[in-house]
Structure formats: C-alpha cells, structure tokens
Amino acid sequence: MKINRTKYDSVEDSSEKIDLAILRELREDSRKTLQEIGAAVGLSATSCWTRIKKLESQGVIKRYTVDLDPAKLGYNDFVIVQLTLESHTDETLYEFGRVLATIPEIQEAYLVSGDYDYYIRIAVRDTRDYERLLREKLYKIPGIRHSKSSFVLRVLKEASVPLGH
C-alpha cells in the first residue's frame, strides 16, 4: 500500500526529528549552549532557542536539573518496598501519597495493580538508616497493612524515556 504524503507531512516529520535531536543534546548535557546545540542539530542558536521554548511550553521539557551521585552524598543503598494498604478509598490513597511526598528519602513511589498497592524506591545510607526510616517515618503512616522490602544489590539499567531511533 502506498501512502500519499503531502509536502507538509515531510516538513512535520523533519521538524519532529530536529526536536528529538535537540532533546537528545539537552539530555546528554542540559548546560550546552544554544550555539553547541544548534551546531549539533544543524540550526542557528535562535532557531534552537525558539524550538526549546516551544518544547517547554508544551510540557515536553518539564524542568532542568542536575544528576547527583547518591553514593557520593552518603546514600549507599536503595530499598524497594512493596506496600499494601488496609483501605483503598480515594481519601486514603490521596493522604498516603501526600505523606509519601514529604519523606525526602523516598525517590519514587508508584500506585500499582497486582498483589501490592505501592512500589516505593528509598535511598538510605545503610541498613540502620533504613531501620530508622521505617520506625520514624514509614510505619507512622496510618493504614499500612503489609510491607515487603528488598535491598537493591546492583543497578543494571537506569534510563530516560527513549527518544526515537
């Protein structure tokens, strides 16, 4: 089957490819100058700036940040905690999520389907630090029925969302 494409389709595809190339450059190093990004993707600095501002306004680029090494800051371990709550009302789920967001050691928290309600990734200094966090913070949250913890032995892959091929 042959697809009839208009000249606008190819312009749109080309524009999307350039945006993806800009995103790759920013993901590699968000401190690159507009001139460096432009040179890498074949645009002027002004055109790059315009596209980046568009990606920001569309919410594609959510924020700029720095990637910190947890071990260099004393966080040598990560723990994956699976939690089940006693109740699943909207209010309970909202309140539980609100409290989780206040605990700085919690790096990620997911409400999931399956045997557990939440998967949580926690950064800790060591096993004693984890035990302290459980006693002082996590287990003080009302409504936890069951939890299961697993220490991460090795990170095999950490990645950002794929940006095309």
Side-chain angles (χ1 to χ4, degrees), residues 62-82:
K62 296 187 334 184
R63 64 189 171 117
Y64 296 89
T65 186
V66 61
D67 191 12
L68 304 174
D69 183 336
K72 300 235 190 236
L73 296 169
Y75 292 94
N76 298 307
D77 292 309
F78 286 98
V79 182
I80 306 297
V81 180
Q82 298 166 299

Side-chain angles (χ1 to χ4, degrees), residues 35-158:
Q35 290 77 12
E36 291 171 324
I37 297 168
V41 302
L43 291 177
S44 70
T46 303
S47 294
C48 252
W49 183 82
T50 302
R51 286 176 176 272
I52 290 169
K53 288 299 170 195
K54 180 188 82 170
L55 292 165
E56 289 172 352
S57 71
Q58 292 173 337
V60 175
I61 298 174
K62 296 187 334 184
R63 64 189 171 117
Y64 296 89
T65 186
V66 61
D67 191 12
L68 304 174
D69 183 336
K72 300 235 190 236
L73 296 169
Y75 292 94
N76 298 307
D77 292 309
F78 286 98
V79 182
I80 306 297
V81 180
Q82 298 166 299
L83 285 169
T84 302
L85 301 181
E86 290 176 355
S87 168
H88 298 95
T89 66
D90 287 344
E91 183 180 325
T92 301
L93 296 175
Y94 172 79
E95 184 59 23
F96 188 75
R98 188 193 65 73
V99 174
L100 286 183
T102 67
I103 302 172
E105 294 90 347
I106 294 179
Q107 304 297 291
E108 298 173 295
Y110 301 98
L111 176 62
V112 297
S113 61
D115 294 335
Y116 291 89
D117 297 324
Y118 288 90
Y119 283 5
I120 301 169
R121 186 173 64 93
I122 301 174
V124 293
R125 298 182 185 283
D126 53 30
T127 55
R128 285 187 180 187
D129 189 37
Y130 179 57
E131 189 263 338
R132 176 206 52 81
L133 184 127
L134 284 178
R135 275 186 299 101
E136 295 176 5
K137 296 181 181 180
L138 201 58
Y139 288 162
K140 293 227 172 159
I141 304 172
I144 295 175
R145 179 174 30 153
H146 177 72
S147 72
K148 176 180 166 184
S149 302
S150 301
F151 271 79
V152 173
L153 300 177
R154 182 181 317 146
V155 176
L156 302 177
K157 180 178 180 181
E158 284 182 325

